Amino acid sequence: MASPALITGATGLLGRQLVKAFDKTGWKAVGTGFSRANPPSILKVDLEDEVAIDSVLDEAKPQLVIHCAANRFPDKCDADPDGTRALNIGATRRLAQAASRRSIFLIYISTDYVFSGKPGEAPYEVNATPHPSNLYGQTKLAGEKAVLEEYGSTGLGVVLRVPVLYGSAETPKESAVNVLMDAVWQAQEQGAKIHMDDWALRYPTNTEDVARVCVDIGSKYLAADAARVALPRVLQFSSEDRFTKFEMCQLFAEIMGLPLEGMIGDKQGSDPNASAQRPYDTHLSTRSLRELGINVWTQDFRDWWKREMKAYRR
């Protein structure tokens, strides 16, 4: 009988790929969601409700939980700080408490935005000192601490930091990368003068690759049994493909055969008056995964978009 794996945020960009990856590799994936939940395929669970968390864990009896439900857009975090803290911190701690009481292995999906991203600091190793520059990063770092505190030295609670993600999306706005294709189309309009960041370095990573790595982490740690207490509690995964947002737009325009005169690359850096500050370079080192023998290969950004861009043609 297949072992159950519970995936929170299963209706989201990464969550959908996690469900597919675990189903394909012999697990029984059980997804949860809230606003977009569609029972019985995706269970509706309020992660801010302790009783609801206990209920789904007791019903699904997972061997593994992957917690990727979060408010993950910096601007939206600033617009709703209380709701962001409730989900990214409060719900994470409640889930970690409930899962740890049941000795369930948990992977907490975190972010490269826990680091300051100041020029010259990257790449960041797992033991680098976090210093988030915005509320999103602050709440995800607090979520990391909650998971590690609740699991203690058991080795059953692991943090996986990832950078900006892209992949198959229901709508472009699900991804800070996919949505740039909309900006490319807006730049085709007569008189367009769209300003696009050409300063911050990003390392777009495909959700299929993140899902594969999560499967490998789960298998590795669960197979280790008692020896898992000696395994790292914080891991990081990232593509090595590096772009600014403007460079991504240039690539999209090139693939589509579109001009880009209506877009202007902005090299002035993070606006000090912006509500959500963006770091310059938060490149994550994958050394900890490689030392575990986990494959850190990623799909080539350009090649993936060449295959997928047909969905964006008009």
Side-chain angles (χ1 to χ4, degrees):
M1 183 177 178
S3 298
L6 184 74
I7 296 145
T8 72
T11 59
L13 182 76
L14 175 58
R16 292 193 301 273
Q17 289 300 331
L18 285 165
V19 170
K20 291 179 182 178
F22 276 87
D23 274 340
K24 287 180 180 178
T25 51
W27 293 76
K28 177 186 176 184
V30 179
T32 77
F34 189 66
S35 61
R36 292 189 287 174
N38 183 28
S41 58
I42 301 293
L43 304 177
K44 185 168 186 176
V45 178
D46 182 357
L47 294 176
E48 296 179 27
D49 183 342
E50 185 176 347
V51 173
I53 292 172
D54 286 337
S55 177
V56 74
L57 291 179
D58 289 338
E59 179 182 341
K61 293 181 171 53
Q63 189 175 9
L64 165 68
V65 171
I66 302 183
H67 180 37
C68 57
N71 187 346
R72 56 188 177 85
F73 294 101
D75 291 334
K76 291 183 178 180
C77 289
D78 280 5
D80 182 16
D82 291 340
T84 297
R85 291 187 183 96
L87 179 57
N88 291 4
I89 306 172
T92 296
R93 185 172 291 278
R94 275 188 290 273
L95 179 62
Q97 286 173 340
S100 63
R101 285 197 303 267
R102 294 163 174 81
S103 297
I104 300 170
F105 182 65
L106 184 145
I107 301 173
Y108 170 70
I109 303 298
S110 190
T111 173
D112 57 341
Y113 270 30
V114 300
F115 295 114
S116 64
K118 293 179 180 178
E121 291 185 351
Y124 292 95
E125 299 292 344
V126 294
N127 59 355
T129 301
H131 194 273
S133 59
N134 55 40
L135 180 64
Y136 168 62
Q138 292 164 11
T139 59
K140 292 300 288 182
L141 178 60
E144 289 187 9
K145 292 178 179 178
V147 169
L148 297 177
E149 286 170 2
E150 294 301 329
Y151 274 91
S153 60
T154 64
L156 286 169
V158 171
V159 169
L160 177 64
R161 295 172 181 150
V162 297
V164 64
L165 303 180
Y166 73 96
S168 298
E170 291 182 351
T171 63
K173 67 180 181 180
E174 282 192 311
S175 163
V177 176
N178 293 45
V179 76
L180 295 177
M181 193 61 231
D182 287 348
V184 171
W185 281 114
Q186 290 166 12
Q188 307 309 306
E189 297 175 5
Q190 187 174 1
K193 291 184 179 180
I194 297 173
H195 287 260
M196 184 61 64
D197 180 66
D198 195 23
W199 173 76
L201 303 177
R202 311 303 298 273
Y203 299 82
T205 301
N206 195 282
T207 52
E208 294 177 31
D209 296 327
V210 177
R212 183 199 76 237
V213 166
C214 285
V215 171
D216 291 346
I217 292 171
S219 299
K220 179 84 175 183
Y221 277 68
L222 289 170
D225 293 324
R228 77 172 62 92
V229 297
L231 298 180
R233 299 168 68 197
V234 179
L235 302 168
Q236 297 178 160
F237 179 59
S238 173
S239 170
E240 297 299 314
D241 291 332
R242 184 179 72 183
F243 300 88
T244 65
K245 285 188 174 181
F246 182 64
E247 288 170 341
M248 288 187 238
C249 289
Q250 287 180 312
L251 174 61
F252 292 167
E254 175 191 329
I255 294 172
M256 295 289 287
L258 297 172
L260 205 59
E261 287 83 0
M263 184 176 289
I264 302 165
D266 190 345
K267 293 183 177 291
Q268 71 177 8
S270 187
D271 182 357
N273 298 315
S275 60
Q277 293 297 305
R278 259 66 170 188
Y280 169 66
D281 183 0
T282 53
H283 189 203
L284 299 171
S285 166
T286 60
R287 185 196 305 269
S288 56
L289 283 173
R290 287 184 276 115
E291 289 177 345
L292 288 172
I294 291 176
N295 185 359
V296 296
W297 175 87
T298 60
Q299 300 181 61
D300 181 83
F301 186 76
R302 177 188 294 269
D303 289 346
W304 190 88
W305 279 104
K306 278 185 175 179
R307 293 193 301 270
E308 297 295 319
M309 197 62 81
K310 60 182 181 294
Y312 290 82
R313 293 188 184 276
R314 294 182 178 178

